Amino acid sequence: MIYLEIAMKLGIGLVGLLAVTRLLGKKEMSQVTPFDFIYALVLGGILEEGIYDEKVSIWKILFAICLWGISVYIIEVCAQKSDRMKKLLKGQPSLIIRNGELDIKQMKKNHLDLEQVRTMLRKQGVFTLREVRDLYLEPGGDISVKLHTKAGSVTPDMLGLDPVDEAPSILIIEEGQIKEEELQSVKKSKEWLLEGLQKKNYTTIEDILYGEWSETDGFFIQPYSPKKKKLP
């Protein structure tokens, strides 16, 4: 009887999971919001506590799943009908880069550092911030990128060109701090960096939000905006 009860609890749990999944609609994993994840996490906790506990009857599990499913459904309906509720529960995109300029306030708000932004861009096939016009951090944690027009999808073959492959960019300055390990990885010194920055009329490292360098394209520097000073 114990094994039969466990099997029935598992069956009820599977049906409940399918029901909640249908309530959430058809989504890719990248579209699942943190709140959607909580739905499934709580349901898993309900099943975990009840499957092997003989004191928790099948009816109690069924009641908990039904109550949770109804709650999820109500929340989803409210989110669809109210923009304020939707923003609260689902979140909204954050504009991390606007017209080529990093928004340090949005980065801090979303607990991002520059290397994390670069990592997300590399996964999208973008290896330098100089190509990025706008970057949105979506509620599900993925990103949407709009490149500058000159960095679009026209290929050299279309133009009959034979370009040299671009070297990867190296993050050398992050929020006013020199990345000495990165400099060492490309066999460059701090003195070389300071000399290069002076040639571009940058005399104070602390005034630079972001700096990268590549052998083919040289320096790409973005200073702090006067209206957006470095946050603590």
Side-chain angles (χ1 to χ4, degrees):
M1 291 297 294
I2 294 177
Y3 294 109
L4 178 60
E5 184 176 356
I6 292 175
M8 293 178 67
K9 287 180 179 179
L10 284 172
I12 291 173
L14 177 60
V15 172
L17 181 60
L18 291 174
V20 172
T21 302
R22 295 299 295 174
L23 287 174
L24 296 178
K26 297 178 180 178
K27 301 178 182 179
E28 297 178 0
M29 286 301 296
S30 61
Q31 296 174 313
V32 174
T33 66
F35 219 81
D36 295 333
F37 178 72
I38 291 174
Y39 292 155
L41 191 64
V42 172
L43 181 58
I46 293 172
L47 296 176
E48 181 182 4
E49 291 295 329
I51 287 179
Y52 299 108
D53 191 344
E54 297 181 11
K55 296 180 181 180
V56 180
S57 66
I58 294 176
W59 295 108
K60 290 180 179 178
I61 292 180
L62 184 60
F63 172 77
I65 291 176
C66 290
L67 183 60
W68 184 241
I70 292 171
S71 300
V72 170
Y73 179 77
I74 293 174
I75 292 173
E76 290 291 320
V77 171
C78 291
Q80 291 176 2
K81 293 184 177 181
S82 171
D83 290 337
R84 181 177 298 180
M85 181 70 73
K86 184 176 182 180
K87 291 179 181 179
L88 177 64
L89 298 177
K90 302 293 184 179
Q92 58 183 339
S94 297
L95 191 54
I96 304 299
I97 299 178
R98 183 195 301 268
N99 198 21
E101 183 177 346
L102 280 161
D103 190 330
I104 188 66
K105 184 176 180 180
Q106 287 296 324
M107 287 179 59
K108 297 297 184 183
K109 181 180 178 180
N110 290 279
H111 307 287
L112 288 175
D113 59 36
L114 286 166
E115 192 54 52
Q116 288 175 315
V117 173
R118 285 165 51 86
T119 299
M120 291 189 292
L121 285 171
R122 286 195 293 268
K123 291 181 179 180
Q124 298 290 327
V126 181
F127 291 85
T128 173
L129 265 72
R130 76 175 73 234
E131 297 180 359
V132 180
R133 185 186 188 279
D134 300 299
L135 186 150
Y136 292 87
L137 179 64
E138 304 295 350
D142 55 327
I143 62 171
S144 300
V145 183
K146 178 177 175 58
L147 303 179
H148 288 292
T149 302
K150 62 182 180 180
S153 58
V154 177
T155 64
D157 289 339
M158 297 178 183
L159 304 177
L161 301 177
D162 186 20
V164 178
D165 286 338
E166 293 185 358
S169 64
I170 304 298
L171 180 63
I172 53 174
I173 300 175
E174 180 178 6
E175 297 188 40
Q177 299 291 327
I178 296 176
K179 308 284 286 186
E180 295 187 10
E181 290 185 2
E182 299 294 340
L183 284 177
Q184 294 175 3
S185 70
V186 292
K187 299 180 180 179
K188 300 294 183 181
S189 65
K190 183 177 179 180
E191 290 73 21
W192 167 86
L193 172 60
L194 295 175
E195 182 180 348
L197 292 175
Q198 288 179 353
K199 291 180 180 180
K200 290 187 171 292
N201 300 320
Y202 293 104
T203 57
T204 306
I205 295 293
E206 289 76 13
D207 291 338
I208 298 176
L209 169 62
Y210 173 85
E212 68 178 23
W213 176 85
S214 72
E215 291 185 2
T216 51
D217 296 319
F219 289 99
F220 176 66
I221 305 297
Q222 182 180 319
Y224 281 101
S225 170
K227 297 181 180 180
K228 299 175 181 177
K229 297 297 184 181
K230 183 167 63 172
L231 301 179

